[in-house]
């Protein structure tokens, strides 16, 4: 495995060629780092599953360079999905659409739908464009972590998660810390009205404004085969507890205006919700690095991105109870 700092266009071309040669390339996006493979190559995609230790029936997001590519992968696309794509791509939004013949079972987990996203990151977009120049159609990429673990928001975190499992021809493109820090909003567009399957930076309010439909705020009761919708996910080794006070020796994450309880070990002090999202996963990782047994997290209040953070927090905190 090779980590590429300060990616040049030449580096990105080599990475696109590596993808063509059935190797994996981890790359930055604005949300979290992805572990990419050629989305039409069964052998390349199967490496994602073995490197991540991910169950085979969990579908993958296909990353594409622009809205133009959507029609290759999806059919019967509703008008509201096109509106969403026009407003929010490139951006932190994944659309679930009825799949075309192009989206094979090894991408969709055998489901009749496919997940598509245009990421808003220069390295990711250049990689997609260069890959297309080599005849590629899209890059399948889950978050670049072991199954169930915390998504990586830096290249160093990708090395920690997957470095030992990647082969010598496989690459990690270092684009620095991700600007959003939690995964994309997933919107099911296979029904009459869009539904949020995983909250993220594209909020219910934004979707309502674009589509004119009223979106249910909570996605809690929706049963879909999305790994992010399993009870336990995004978990560090430490026990994550949603709380209001920490004991001496516990890790502690809260907005900066909340003082650290006596003896608590402060892992992050965000001053805004955006910064909370950006720091959250790296703070959980830091707790593991310094071998804390427990991390107490103060939930952020409010809607939108705060709701997405609470969603991830609940899943991280679920680990020890199931
Ligand atoms: O921000 C993101 O979305 C990042 C970056 C790398 O793009 N990717 C990401 O991928 O979070 P992953 O695989 O860790 O999470 C994608 C989620 C999974 O929970 C998967 O089950 C769900 O999307 N998914 C994919 N295809 C689906 C489908 N056809 N129907 C329902 N859920 C789907
Ligand atoms: Mg993931």
């Amino acid at each position: 495995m090779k980590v590429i700092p300060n990616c040049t266009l030449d580096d990105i071309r080599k990475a696109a060629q590596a993808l063509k040669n059935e190797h994996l390339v981890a790359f930055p996006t604005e949300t979290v780092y992805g572990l990419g493979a050629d989305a039409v190559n069964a052998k390349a995609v199967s490496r994602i599953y073995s490197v991540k230790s991910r169950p085979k029936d969990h579908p993958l997001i296909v990353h594409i360079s622009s809205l133009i590519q959507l029609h290759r992968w999806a059919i019967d696309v509703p008008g509201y999905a096109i509106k969403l794509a026009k407003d929010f791509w490139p951006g932190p939004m994944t659309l679930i659409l009825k799949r075309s013949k192009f989206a094979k079972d090894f991408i969709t987990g055998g489901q009749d739908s496919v997940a598509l996203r245009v990421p808003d990151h220069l390295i990711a977009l250049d990689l997609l464009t260069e890959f297309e120049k080599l005849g590629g159609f899209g890059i399948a990429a889950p978050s670049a972590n072991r199954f169930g673990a915390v998504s990586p928001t830096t290249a160093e975190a990708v090395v920690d998660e997957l470095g030992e499992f990647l082969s010598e021809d496989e690459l990690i493109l270092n684009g620095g810390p991700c600007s959003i820090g939690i995964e994309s909003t997933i919107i099911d567009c296979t029904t009459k009205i869009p539904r949020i399957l995983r909250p993220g930076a594209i909020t219910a309010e934004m979707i309502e404004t674009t589509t004119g439909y009223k979106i249910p705020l909570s996605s809690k009761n929706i049963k879909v085969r999305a790994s992010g919708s399993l009870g336990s996910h995004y978990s560090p080794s430490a026990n994550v507890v949603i709380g209001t006070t920490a004991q001496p020796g516990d890790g502690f994450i809260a907005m900066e205006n909340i003082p650290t309880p006596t003896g608590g070990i402060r892992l992050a002090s965000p001053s805004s919700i955006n910064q909370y999202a950006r720091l959250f996963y790296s703070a959980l990782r830091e707790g593991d690095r310094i071998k804390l047994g427990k991390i107490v997290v103060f939930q952020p209040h409010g809607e939108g991105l705060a709701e997405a953070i609470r969603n991830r927090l609940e899943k991280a905190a679920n680990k020890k109870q199931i």
Side-chain angles (χ1 to χ4, degrees):
M1 174 259 323
K2 224 169 126 187
V3 182
I4 314 289
N6 313 315
C7 291
T8 61
L9 194 55
D10 193 47
D11 292 326
I12 291 175
R13 285 191 183 127
K14 285 184 184 140
Q17 189 59 56
L19 286 169
K20 262 283 168 210
N21 295 346
E22 304 184 332
H23 299 308
L24 300 183
V25 174
F27 59 94
T29 79
E30 79 282 33
T31 58
V32 300
Y33 275 71
L35 179 65
D38 182 346
V40 297
N41 185 315
K43 196 169 148 217
V45 170
S46 77
R47 261 198 70 65
I48 291 181
Y49 287 90
S50 55
V51 165
K52 275 192 65 116
S53 216
R54 175 163 160 139
K56 282 268 179 208
D57 59 352
H58 285 279
L60 297 168
I61 298 174
V62 177
H63 295 68
I64 51 178
S65 65
S66 76
L67 172 57
I68 297 166
Q69 305 294 327
L70 175 146
H71 295 285
R72 191 192 295 278
W73 290 93
I75 53 170
D76 300 342
V77 180
Y80 71 76
I82 299 292
K83 283 187 191 164
L84 287 168
K86 282 189 172 151
D87 278 5
F88 302 121
W89 277 352
M93 177 186 75
T94 297
L95 300 182
I96 308 293
L97 296 159
K98 194 162 167 199
R99 69 167 163 178
S100 74
K101 292 210 165 62
F102 229 75
K104 301 281 193 258
D105 283 351
F106 60 80
I107 286 291
T108 70
Q111 300 191 77
D112 208 25
S113 56
V114 62
L116 298 176
R117 175 163 115 82
V118 180
D120 186 14
H121 193 292
L122 278 180
I123 293 177
L125 287 170
D126 280 350
L127 182 64
L128 285 160
T129 308
E130 292 303 319
F131 186 56
E132 278 169 18
K133 285 189 196 159
L134 297 176
F137 298 115
I139 301 176
S143 50
N145 51 278
R146 298 277 285 171
F147 184 67
V150 176
S151 298
T153 53
T154 63
E156 293 74 19
V158 180
V159 174
D160 287 349
E161 282 284 332
L162 304 178
E164 65 189 287
F165 305 103
L166 294 172
S167 75
E168 58 180 22
D169 295 318
E170 293 178 316
L171 305 171
I172 299 174
L173 306 182
N174 189 347
C178 299
S179 60
I180 292 180
I182 59 170
E183 305 82 355
S184 62
T185 306
I186 300 181
I187 308 171
D188 182 1
C189 300
T190 62
T191 49
K192 270 220 163 81
I193 290 177
R195 294 186 308 164
I196 297 178
L197 302 185
R198 180 177 71 184
I202 302 299
T203 64
E205 200 185 350
M206 291 156 85
I207 300 167
E208 281 174 6
T209 306
T210 289
T211 64
Y213 290 115
K214 182 95 192 103
I215 309 296
L217 265 183
S218 170
S219 55
K220 269 191 188 136
N221 296 320
I222 297 175
K223 290 247 183 316
V224 283
R225 219 195 295 163
S227 55
S229 69
L230 291 177
S232 165
H233 218 70
Y234 314 110
S235 301
S237 301
N239 200 1
V240 176
V241 175
I242 303 171
T244 50
T245 186
Q247 302 304 313
D250 290 348
F252 187 67
I253 298 174
M255 293 291 281
E256 75 174 350
N257 61 330
I258 297 165
T260 310
T262 312
I265 297 159
R266 191 84 185 207
L267 297 170
S269 305
S271 57
S272 67
I273 290 296
N274 286 357
Q275 201 186 17
Y276 201 129
R278 203 155 48 233
L279 298 180
F280 182 52
Y281 286 155
S282 57
L284 293 180
R285 269 179 201 285
E286 175 61 10
D288 274 354
R289 197 188 64 79
I290 60 175
K291 301 200 164 34
L292 298 180
K294 188 169 126 196
I295 301 173
V296 178
V297 186
F298 253 55
Q299 296 196 80
H301 297 296
E303 290 181 357
L305 201 48
E307 199 196 349
I309 297 166
R310 291 197 299 274
N311 166 273
R312 306 308 193 275
L313 177 54
E314 274 165 27
K315 289 180 198 311
N318 246 344
K319 185 172 80 168
K320 297 287 180 326
Q321 287 135 42
I322 61 171

